[in-house]
């Protein structure tokens, strides 16, 4: 292990593989050449081991890989010579790949990628928050032009692994606070929650139920805060009994709506934190023989294409997913060519789209 430490600290890492296409150097300035005796005593394997880790190869023991990654971060390893040629692709990573949300994001990424002659590779994390260790090694091995992570996040270590290899990363709709250093694109979730509440209040509703997203989702917390701000301003308390925490799925919307509509004093309106949950609310209302919007008003969030085809068409808060994805891809391309984005956090505007699922409260 000491041999590896010496190699990382003192050796101008030169990965002697044909497909590495460039040298790796440690630190912001070239360091003195290594004493090669440790490498010779190790049978020539230490530089090769470091090279394998740097280039995302799999045949390294987990504890050795962790040590090398720690040393890379500790000593500020960055490539000093020509960046290895990146594969002409954008790695697009979803926590869960299903429904209209994902399709809108894919459309936005492909629009910009096509303009720059880049292909798009789509992968699914299958509910791993953050991505599992094997994912990061695969990305390093593929050397994409850049990575876009949707509704998930990276650990500081994972972000550092990509950054030290000059693989740019941008987050779209991150679940947590991405911090100031990690570029991200989001939407005005707070103002979206505010506009949904104001709309229902203006229609005379006071018993308004909420079906939120996961507690750890930044977007869900912001929508809830915006909703509460509107209610507080109107002097209307938010009844805790009417707030249900969900997971952004239609099944979840159905389950919570069934429970809410079975209360002795059921809500007269429901604000679902995405359109899929709103679909579940429609089903629950149908089961109880309630007419939308005459007996129950419903507001969603996202404005996916299917929202206008529900009966009645869904009133919802438009989240510009395609534009968000296109903006993130533009940022990735700019960073890959060495440009700094004008701002690391870009927030696009949301807006209420009023359709047929909301109506004035009938006394």
């Amino acid at each position: 292990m000491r041999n590896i430490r010496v190699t990382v600290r003192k050796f101008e890492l030169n990965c002697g593989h044909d497909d590495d296409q460039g040298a790796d150097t440690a630190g912001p300035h070239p360091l003195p050449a290594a004493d090669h005796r440790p490498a010779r005593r190790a049978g020539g394997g230490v530089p090769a081991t470091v090279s394998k880790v740097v280039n995302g190869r799999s045949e390294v023991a987990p504890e050795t890989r962790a040590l090398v990654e720690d040393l890379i971060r500790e000593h500020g390893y960055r490539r000093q010579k020509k960046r290895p040629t990146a594969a002409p692709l954008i790695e697009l990573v979803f926590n869960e790949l299903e429904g209209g949300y994902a399709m809108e994001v894919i459309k936005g990424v492909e629009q910009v990628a096509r303009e720059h002659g880049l292909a798009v590779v789509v992968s699914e994390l299958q509910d791993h928050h953050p991505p599992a260790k094997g994912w990061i090694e695969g990305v390093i091995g593929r050397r994409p032009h850049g990575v876009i992570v949707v509704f998930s996040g990276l650990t500081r270590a994972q972000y550092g692994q990509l950054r030290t290899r000059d693989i740019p990363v941008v987050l779209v709709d991150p679940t947590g606070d991405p911090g100031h250093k990690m570029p991200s694109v989001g939407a005005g979730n707070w103002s979206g929650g505010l506009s949904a509440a104001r709309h229902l209040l203006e229609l005379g509703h006071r018993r308004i139920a909420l079906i939120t997203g996961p507690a750890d989702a930044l977007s869900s917390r912001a929508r809830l805060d915006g909703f509460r701000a509107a209610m507080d301003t109107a002097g209307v308390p938010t009844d805790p009994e009417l707030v249900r925490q969900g997971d952004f799925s239609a099944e979840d919307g159905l389950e919570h709506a069934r429970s809410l509509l079975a209360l002795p004093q059921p809500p007269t309106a429901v604000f679902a934190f995405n359109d899929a949950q709103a679909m579940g609310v429609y089903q629950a209302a149908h089961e109880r023989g309630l007419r939308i919007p005459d007996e129950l008003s419903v507001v969603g969030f996202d404005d996916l294409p299917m929202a206008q085809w529900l009966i009645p068409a869904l009133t919802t808060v438009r989240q510009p997913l395609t534009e968000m994805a296109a903006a993130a891809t533009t940022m990735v391309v700019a960073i890959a060519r060495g440009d700094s984005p004008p701002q690391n956090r870009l927030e696009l505007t949301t807006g209420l789209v009023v359709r047929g699922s909301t109506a004035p409260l009938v006394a």
Side-chain angles (χ1 to χ4, degrees):
M1 292 299 183
R2 174 170 171 75
N3 292 351
I4 292 175
R5 181 177 294 273
V6 170
T7 299
V8 174
R9 292 187 66 175
K10 299 178 67 178
F11 188 55
E12 288 189 22
L13 294 169
N14 191 338
C15 306
H17 300 280
D18 293 339
D19 58 349
D20 289 338
Q21 301 180 41
D24 305 315
T25 59
H29 302 288
L31 297 176
D35 178 354
H36 292 276
R37 286 173 294 180
R40 291 196 191 99
R41 288 197 297 270
V46 173
T49 298
V50 174
S51 174
K52 288 175 182 177
V53 173
V54 168
N55 291 286
R57 300 176 186 275
S58 59
E59 59 272 20
V60 179
E63 59 273 16
T64 304
R65 181 181 300 279
L67 173 63
V68 175
E69 291 288 359
D70 287 345
L71 291 170
I72 285 173
R73 287 191 295 273
E74 179 184 344
H75 296 285
Y77 161 81
R78 295 301 301 272
R79 297 180 184 276
Q80 293 296 313
K81 296 184 181 179
K82 182 181 177 182
R83 182 189 181 213
T85 302
L89 59 88
I90 297 290
E91 186 108 10
L92 177 58
V93 186
F94 289 92
N95 172 56
E96 189 175 76
L97 185 58
E98 65 176 35
Y101 178 100
M103 290 308 301
E104 293 302 298
V105 171
I106 291 171
K107 283 197 304 186
V109 173
E110 287 210 323
Q111 284 174 8
V112 177
R114 194 181 310 119
E115 294 173 1
H116 296 275
L118 301 171
V120 179
V121 174
V122 180
S123 58
E124 182 181 31
L125 299 177
Q126 298 179 333
D127 221 24
H128 288 291
H129 284 288
K133 291 181 179 179
W135 171 80
I136 199 81
E137 294 171 7
V139 172
I140 293 170
R142 286 188 289 275
R143 293 195 190 281
H145 206 75
V147 178
I148 297 173
V149 181
V150 183
F151 198 66
S152 187
L154 301 179
T155 65
R156 184 176 298 179
Q158 288 172 332
Y159 179 63
Q161 285 176 277
L162 296 176
R163 182 174 176 273
T164 56
R165 292 159 176 90
D166 292 323
I167 300 175
V169 183
V170 176
L171 306 183
V172 173
D173 198 10
T175 52
D177 183 1
H180 298 296
K181 293 184 178 180
M182 193 175 298
S184 65
V185 179
N189 290 293
W190 188 91
S191 60
L194 183 83
S195 63
R198 282 179 173 172
H199 175 63
L200 292 172
L201 287 167
E202 288 167 0
L203 293 174
H205 296 279
R206 295 297 180 267
R207 284 191 62 76
I208 306 171
L210 301 175
I211 303 177
T212 74
D216 62 349
L218 185 65
S219 58
S220 178
R221 297 200 303 271
R223 291 169 200 178
L224 179 58
D225 289 345
F227 178 90
R228 283 176 167 160
M231 296 286 279
D232 290 345
T233 300
V236 179
T238 302
D239 187 345
E241 185 181 33
L242 298 182
V243 180
R244 306 297 169 89
Q245 182 181 309
D247 62 6
F248 287 142
S249 70
E251 294 81 7
D252 159 72
L254 173 60
E255 178 184 347
H256 286 304
R258 282 172 173 165
S259 173
L260 289 163
L261 297 177
L263 291 172
Q265 285 187 287
T268 63
V270 178
F271 175 29
F273 277 29
N274 77 349
D275 290 348
Q277 289 174 323
M279 289 178 61
V281 176
Y282 271 49
Q283 177 62 28
H286 174 74
E287 291 174 356
R288 295 192 70 85
L290 296 176
R291 292 171 297 163
I292 298 173
D294 299 334
E295 296 170 287
L296 181 70
S297 286
V298 182
V299 177
F301 202 108
D302 283 338
D303 193 26
L304 299 178
M306 60 87 173
Q308 61 185 312
W309 298 109
L310 294 177
I311 302 175
L314 179 65
T315 295
T316 186
V317 178
R318 182 177 185 272
Q319 179 174 213
L321 292 170
T322 301
E323 293 90 335
M324 289 161 58
T329 311
T330 300
M331 289 174 72
V332 160
V333 171
I335 296 169
R337 66 170 176 247
D339 299 336
S340 297
Q343 58 194 85
N344 266 8
R345 169 67 179 176
L346 179 62
E347 186 172 287
L348 302 189
T349 304
T350 56
L352 183 70
V353 180
V354 179
R355 297 194 179 101
S357 67
T358 50
L361 178 64
V362 177

